[in-house]
Structure formats: C-alpha cells, structure tokens
Amino acid sequence: MPRAFLVVMDSVGIGGAPDAGTFFNGDLPDLGANTLAHIAQACAAGQADEGRSGPLHLPNMERLGLGAAMRLASSVPFPGLEAEPQGLWGCAREFSRGKDTPSGHWELAGLPVPWDWHYFPDRALSFPEDLSAFVAEQAGTDGILGNCHASGTVILDTLGAEHMRTGKPICYTSADSVFQIAAHEETFGLDRLLELCKAIAPRLHAMKVGRVIARPFLGSAKEGFTRTTNRRDYAITTPAPVLTNWVQDAGGRVHAIGKIGDIFSMSGIDTLKKGSDTRLMEYLFHAVETAEQGSLTFANFVEFDSMHGHTRDIPGYARALEWFDAEIGRLLGKLRKGDMLLLTADHGNDPSWPGSDHTREQVPVLIAGLDAGTIGQVKFADVAASIAAHLNVPAQGPGKSFL
C-alpha cells in the first residue's frame, strides 16, 4: 500500500494570487507580494549575506520544480532556479477568504472555510469590554494588559515587566483572526496559561475567532524576554470531515508533526510530535523510516513564518530555506517505492513587504515519488483530493485529484 507525506512550509508563498489586491498589510494591498521571489532577489543583490552568502541556493526543491512553479504563479522576476523539473509540479490558489494558518490548512485538507472569520479592529482598545472582563475573570486578575494589535516579540519588550509585576495576562491580536495571550512560564505559570486559553476558547470560537493562542515566555526586563516552544493553539474544530478524518475512517493512521494537531484540534490524528523545526525534521525522517503502509504524515514547519516572515528578516528566511532544502535532499533518498512526498505552503509572508502580516499569495506544489511533469494551476482543496486518490481513500469536498 502507498504512503503519503504532506509537508507545509509555513508562509513560503510564490506570489500571483488573483485576489491579492483585496488583502492588506495596513493600508497597502498585497498586490505584488511574492515571498520567494523577493528573497531570491535580495540574495542575488548581496542583501541577505548574514550567516549565508550569494544567490539563494535551493537545488533539491529546484529539481522538483520550484522555479517552474514560481514562474507559473507570477510574473515577478527572480534570478536562478532554472533547472529542468524532475518531479510533478504546479502552483495552488486559495478560495477561502483568509490568509491565515487555519484557512490555508483546512483548505489544503479539503475544506474551504465556510464562514467569514471575526477580526478585531486595529485601535487603542481592540477587544470588547465584556470580553476583556471575561478573560480577566478567568485569569483571576483585576484586568488584562495589551488589548491591542501587536507584534508578539515587541509586546514582550513593552509589557513583559509590567506583566511580571502585576500578574495580568498580556492579551493581543493581529491581522489574523486570533486572540493571543502571553504569560511568563515561571511567574504566571505555563499550566495556568494553558488552562486560561482553554477556558476562554469556546467563547472566542462562538465569535468565529479562529484561534486562541498561548504564548509562553521566559526572561526578565534586565536580560530580555524570549518566547518558548511551549506555544499552544486552540483552534475551532472543522465543521466537516477533512483529509485526516478521511484517512483514519478508511483504516489508515495519521501522524501529525508540528502544529497540525492544534490546527485540527487532534481530529483524525493518531500521533503528534512537536518542537523546533530542527526537531520536527528529525520526526519527519523517523516517519519516513517507520510510518505504516496506507498512512498519512502531515507536517508543518512554522519557523519560516514565525521567526522570519513576521519579523521581516530576509537573511534569516533565506537561511531557513537553504537548511530545509538540504534536509529535503537527504530525505528524498529515503522514500520507499510508492511513497508520495508533497511540499506546499499555506499562505505567504513576504519579508520584504511593509507591515508584519501574512501576504495573500499562491503556493508551490512539489511532488516527489511520482512521475515528472506539470499539474498546472490548481486549488488548495485539490491537494487533499490528490493525496486521498494516492492512498485509495474516498474523498469529500470540492477538490479534484490532479494525479
């Protein structure tokens, strides 16, 4: 029986979304945003030589068809990545009206989001008064800190010391449909933070806020504050079965790596591994070595997005891409006959773009283990339908297999 490995490179967009002009970073539309092309341009111009040097070097994904997919998706010019594709390649566009993690992953798993997410306004007090009071009540404090749109790292510098002094949770949001709570793992307590997020999640989900995110951190005002890897997302449960459920219902096992378990609220998932991207890559190698016939391994590598996209760190993003490409090169040699490895992304996060939000882009679809050729421009939901077809699993939803 075949196996499938679906690997999401979080935020590695390739531009060209036809509706990018209706999505914004502040007042600037995403029209023209292109995460990979702009990184490649910066590398070729010598503007990304911190910890690396020279043109962007992604030979393994290039051979799978990355450059060809980029040229298919967008007319934004970029240097290099011109090798003849040896894999099955194309690009995918999203139907859901969102450029966030749940929207992208749900649709890649076969379910376009059937509603409009709720977003909090970017103003001095972003949250309704009754919601802020409810969160404070659940936290056992006489108020909250933040109550605004903010960068997750900047707000720690601004409010971390006050949080440690008062015990009040730091609550903030972004252009995504999220309610985030940052708290110190030692002075506030990690378990207390997780219980708080779990307690308030049903109320936020009823508002169609996609995720409540626990953002634990350590440090002090003197030494600086650093977020830890103990982040936890409490996401709305999908209102209909998705790829993970299809596989599990057909008798296959589903292995989640990274934040997949949080995104799908563990629905249709048998095992979960979490950690840094370096650790996640170790788990992916282990899955290739040990996963059962007929199984799906669904992985997300988040640090492209969380560490380099939102912070607009072009050199760091380039380093992460080159590290990932080298690891994928080693992984390709370990695939078994009949395996399907599909690399894609959930949205863009152009580190050259103004603002700090995701960017609305198409994404690459690169497939190893099958024939070489092009699948053209497809839909996100077609990814789920195609993996189901490969695994001989009945598919639901609007996607069509491109196999």
Side-chain angles (χ1 to χ4, degrees), residues 120-151:
F120 293 108
D122 189 358
R123 62 191 185 198
L125 297 177
S126 295
F127 307 131
E129 186 174 338
D130 61 332
L131 178 60
S132 298
F134 174 72
V135 174
E137 178 185 3
Q138 295 300 309
T141 59
D142 61 0
I144 64 172
L145 301 176
N147 196 351
C148 60
H149 280 236
S151 159

Side-chain angles (χ1 to χ4, degrees), residues 44-132:
Q47 298 169 354
D49 287 350
E50 298 175 20
R52 59 164 308 282
S53 63
L56 186 64
H57 187 61
L58 306 175
N60 297 298
M61 289 191 286
E62 182 182 359
R63 283 192 292 271
L64 290 177
L66 179 58
M70 293 170 69
R71 291 179 175 88
L72 176 63
S74 171
S75 61
V76 174
F78 61 92
L81 301 174
E82 297 178 350
E84 184 70 22
Q86 299 174 19
L88 198 61
W89 61 272
C91 61
R93 59 184 56 176
E94 185 174 5
F95 174 80
S96 303
R97 287 295 301 173
K99 54 176 180 175
D100 53 88
T101 293
S103 296
H105 281 77
W106 284 19
E107 194 164 333
L108 288 169
L111 179 67
V113 178
W115 54 64
D116 290 333
W117 296 112
H118 177 80
Y119 300 93
F120 293 108
D122 189 358
R123 62 191 185 198
L125 297 177
S126 295
F127 307 131
E129 186 174 338
D130 61 332
L131 178 60
S132 298

